Amino acid sequence: MSVWFITGTSSGIGAALAAQVLADGESVIGTFRSAEQAKAFDGVAPGRSFGMVADVCDDDAVRAAVVDGTAKAGAPEVVVNAAGYGLVGAVEEVDDAEMLAQVDVNLFGAHRVIRAVLPAMRDARAGHIVNISSVNGEKGQFGQTNYSAAKAGMHGFTMALAQEVANKGVTVNTVSPGYIGTDMVRSIRQDVLDKIVATIPVKRLG
């Protein structure tokens, strides 16, 4: 039985992934921003699901979640950075604070998690890190300069880190989903979302 550490497990891709991994009989340490959600996750698969309260923008909270989660479940063998944040807005409408918020969650958040888990993986000479990026980090998207930039940054970060840790037995990859029917995507203004869906070959959200 392997131990997975998954961020952003309160909704969207992170929640779906955690549910599938638990269904496959593995253990999951999941991060949540509320104590209520974390406690509820503990009961999903007692002895295999462990909810941690941790905002990926808080380095101390991330490190505590890794330490506490490892004490309860064992050292994570697979780490998935699924926590994400996106907001639609033309570039002149995005102020510095909003741009920094996008980068903080989508890029620095993954950096904080990886810094916390990597020493144990290096010692074990084994581990897999998967960063959930976005197709918009490769092709861009109208009204998402901030989000696209953060997700593109994740690609560069991942490629460089993969070279740093390959000789330690650790793999690092990104996965770049298209538009998935998460709460975040469905919050996009309907007329904008309709235009996005029209560009998808199967004409629907994933």
Side-chain angles (χ1 to χ4, degrees):
M1 181 171 66
S2 60
V3 179
W4 293 52
F5 187 99
I6 304 173
T7 68
T9 38
S10 60
S11 63
I13 292 173
L17 178 60
Q20 184 60 59
V21 171
L22 290 172
D24 290 342
E26 313 298 346
S27 294
V28 174
I29 303 166
T31 68
F32 299 84
R33 296 185 69 179
S34 81
E36 292 77 14
Q37 288 176 315
K39 184 176 181 179
F41 187 70
D42 288 341
V44 172
R48 292 192 297 114
S49 57
F50 305 91
M52 301 289 143
V53 180
D55 183 337
V56 295
C57 295
D58 183 335
D59 188 55
D60 289 339
V62 167
R63 290 182 182 278
V66 171
V67 171
D68 294 346
T70 298
K72 293 178 179 179
E77 299 156 75
V78 183
V79 174
V80 181
N81 286 299
Y85 167 52
L87 184 68
V88 175
V91 65
E92 65 270 21
E93 298 170 353
V94 178
D95 61 21
D96 288 359
E98 182 55 43
M99 186 68 175
L100 289 170
Q102 293 276 319
V103 175
D104 201 13
V105 174
N106 294 300
L107 180 56
F108 289 175
H111 180 219
R112 294 182 185 102
V113 171
I114 291 167
R115 281 190 310 199
V117 300
L118 198 53
M121 287 185 168
R122 279 178 166 152
D123 290 345
R125 300 192 67 81
H128 304 287
I129 297 170
V130 179
N131 296 322
I132 305 296
S133 184
S134 168
V135 66
N136 290 345
E138 299 176 13
K139 72 176 186 62
Q141 175 60 46
F142 181 91
Q144 288 198 330
T145 54
N146 44 15
Y147 182 77
S148 297
K151 290 300 190 179
M154 181 178 275
H155 282 302
F157 175 86
T158 298
M159 290 186 289
L161 180 61
Q163 296 180 52
E164 285 187 21
V165 299
N167 65 349
K168 304 297 183 182
V170 181
T171 64
V172 193
N173 293 276
T174 53
V175 175
S176 296
Y179 283 88
I180 307 300
T182 63
D183 291 342
M184 184 179 78
V185 170
R186 292 189 186 281
S187 69
I188 296 173
R189 203 175 71 207
Q190 191 59 50
D191 62 320
V192 175
L193 186 57
D194 289 343
K195 290 178 182 177
I196 290 170
V197 171
T199 69
I200 301 172
V202 294
K203 306 304 180 187
R204 63 173 176 80
L205 298 175

